[in-house]
Structures are given as C-alpha cells and as structure tokens.
Amino acid sequence: MKYYSTNKNAPLADLHKAVVKGLAEDRGLYMPEQIKMLPKSFFDNIQDMSFQELSYVVADAFFGEDVEAEALKQIVYDTLAFETPVVQVDGRIYALELFHGPTLAFKDVGARFMARLLQYFIRQEGKEQVNVLVATSGDTGSAVANGFLGVDGIHVYVLYPKGKVSKIQESQFTTLGKNITAIEVDGVFDDCQALVKNAFMDEELNKHMKLTSANSINVARFLPQAFYYFNAYAQMKKMGKADNLVMCVPSGNFGNITAALFGHQMGLPIKRFIAANNANDIFYQYLQTGIYDPKPSKQTLANAMDVGDPSNFARIYDLYGGSHEKVTSLISGATYSDEQIRETVLACYKQTGYILDPHGSCGYRALQEGLKDGEYGVFCETAHPAKFKETVDSITKGDVEIPERLAAFMRGKKESVPMSKEFNDFKAFLMSR
Ligand SMILES: *Cc1c(COP(=O)(O)O)cnc(C)c1O
C-alpha cells in the first residue's frame, strides 16, 4: 500500500517510510491510497468473533500488503490483550469503555501497535537501534512509554515538564526502567517540545543516533483505533441492537473519530457519527459554517480534548473530497462548557450510578440530546474516571476507586534525568549515550 500526503505535494511513501517519518515532506498527513471494503460475510459473522480475530481482519485490509501475515497477526494479538466492553448506561445509550489497556488510556492501542510495527521493520533490516523522542504534557508519554516498554531495538526518551504533570501520570513513565528513559525538564511543555524539535533538526546528533517520533498523527498510531468500532458494532449486534447505530466520539485531535470514519468507509454499518467537543469548538463551527478557523486552545476539565487546531481535520477533509455537504450528512457535532460537563457527570451518576470522566461526559450528553427515535447510541468512554479523580470526586462527592494497575505504577520507584531547557544540555546528554 502506498501513502499520499493530504497536501498532495510530497512523493508517495510506503508503510515503512510513513511510520518512521510520521509527517510527509510537505507537512501533510499520510493517507492510504486505498480503503478496502470488507466482505458481507465478515459483517454477517462479526458478532461471533473475538476482539483479536475481528481486528486482524481489519488490520490485514490496512497493512496486509506490507507485513507478513503471521507477523501482523502477532502484532494485533499482542496489542489487543484486553477487552473494550460496551456497557449499557441509560436506555438506548451505551458506553464503549476504551480504558482497559495498560495505562488505562485508549491511546495504548495505537502506541503499542506502532511500537511493534516499528520493531518489525527494524528487524527486517537488521539495522541499528532506533531512538524515539516524545514530549508530553501527561497522557501521551505514558501510553507511548508503556507501548514501547521491552520492545528490543528501540529506546524511548520521554520529556516532561517538571512539576506540571500529575503524580499518577508521572508514575506511569518514570517507574518503568528498561528501554524507557524519563527526562524531567526544568520548564513547561513547550520547552520539552522545542527540545525534541531541535533534536530532529540537529545534523551532528542525527549522525550519532537514529531518531524518530511517536506523534499521534502517525498512521501506525491512529489507524489501529478503527478496531474499536468494529468491536463495538459486534457487541451491539450480539445484543440485537446494531440497527440504526449512532457512534459518538469525544474528540480533540480527531484521530479516534477519523479511524472510526475509515471503518465506515470499509463498510462498517454505522448510521451516523457525532463528534463531541468541550469548549474548543473548531470542528463544531466548521459543521455549522463550512469554514475551518483554528484558534488557540482553551483549558477545560476535559483537557485531553483541549485542541484548537485538530490535526486530523486534514484527513477528514480529504476523506470526503473537501465536501462540507458529505461531512455534515454523516457527522454532526456538539460542544459543552465545563459547567455542562460537571452537570452531566453529576446527573448521570445520580440517575444511573455510572461514573463518567470529563471526556466521556461530553459524549454521553451529546447522545442524550441528539439520539432520535429508533436509534441506539454508543459513546466512547475515553478515560477511566480515576485518572481525573480530583475533578470527578469533587462533582459526585464520592471517592472513585483507583484501579490496581494505576496503584501499582504509583508504588514504583521514580527515576528520571533532570534536564535544563537549554538544547545544548539535552544534546550533550544524548551524544553521551
Ligand atoms: C486523546 C484523548 C481524547 C481525544 O482523542 P483524539 O483522537 O485526539 O480526538 C479524548 N479523551 C481522552 C481521555 C484522550 O486521552
């Protein structure tokens, strides 16, 4: 399979190049040249397949031309060693719980899949070690670090701002050891990002070691999220509730919903989609007006969705040939203030006992307001409420239980390398490795 750039001004890339480079030469995002339709027989039997089995069929359609069948199967089975259950919350509204992976983040799947795919390509070439640099404000660092943990041939450096990530988040990438090095930067997130960007541009450093990124726009990170939606459909079908299915995705950079839309293009019978936003309503405004007008991001309670210029908009635009009409006929939007997010967490808890996190809150509310007669709705619960314990407890006056997996991270011993925000210090450190 060849991949083209959404800016249409870069050479076609093969999968290996698209994964290692992440972004095309013209700063566009890579798109597969073809999206294969899956056969009717697959959808007829999907309810009897396991998450791993059905995901392998989807993965084969995307990556089967470029990765040997047995290796691809192993990558898929290794990545999806947990369940993403669909849980009834209220009437015709169901939660698709995407937070049962290693760091309780839905980004775990993409991170792990990318790690294993990169490892496959490195082994094929028998080349030297690859070093992944990632700057994080919290969640991405933990998903990437755990995804790459123990994957030989790859070393990961996670740069994070000192004192600016929560203890839970910090423990998820500073206690791992092995091939993961945490670097505690005396600065803010932007300083971390600047260090990473400078490192990629430094000639001497790139001669010294092979560097790559694990950015969320990487095809190997976003496409595997399509598995979630086939699995959700399978579970709803098993319950006899898959007709007129509405899928609602709390969105920030729009990678998750874009993967769902790829699934739809492959024949997945979802009737329509809702993109739920917090106060960062750029996509919502685009749906209303046809004009895409990025803005600086606003801080909200659902902070993983605080994005003012969603990177995957370019993919959605490209997928529908730039037609606003096509986009709006399939996707609608919703936008909620912090006040509404709080209100919804509380009301849902009181009425159903289900504890939403601030991101899922947007998804649940969008279905409550938008579901029509005869439709069933599934929203993605993208984070475990314990990850936003302070916020959630303050709303429900409760005490969300911290899952054992999180607690275990917090018991680990923190190890990180203190670093100034000066590039020369960071470079000297990497040159000494
Ligand atoms: C990353 C994230 C989102 C947004 O997903 P996108 O793919 O960027 O749209 C939503 N909720 C949580 C908890 C996240 O971590």
Side-chain angles (χ1 to χ4, degrees), residues 272-273 283 286-290 320 323-333:
R272 62 190 185 92
F273 294 85
F283 187 76
Y286 163 77
L287 291 174
Q288 314 310 312
T289 63
Y320 301 104
S323 163
H324 181 250
E325 197 187 323
K326 277 191 191 155
V327 173
T328 52
S329 67
L330 184 63
I331 314 169
S332 60

Side-chain angles (χ1 to χ4, degrees), residues 6-7 22-23 27-32 106-107 215-225 249-262 275 282-283 286 292 294 304 307-320 327 331:
T6 50
N7 285 346
L23 210 59
R27 316 291 299 160
L29 277 64
Y30 283 118
M31 292 282 278
F106 81 81
K107 295 181 176 73
N215 202 299
S216 68
I217 48 96
N218 200 293
V219 288
R221 270 197 64 192
F222 100 92
L223 269 178
Q225 294 166 359
V249 187
S251 297
N253 261 322
F254 282 69
N256 203 6
I257 196 171
T258 302
L261 296 170
F262 271 75
I282 310 308
F283 187 76
Y286 163 77
Y292 181 74
V307 180
D309 185 5
S311 41
N312 283 289
F313 178 78
R315 285 198 167 108
I316 297 179
Y317 191 83
D318 190 84
L319 208 51
Y320 301 104
V327 173
I331 314 169

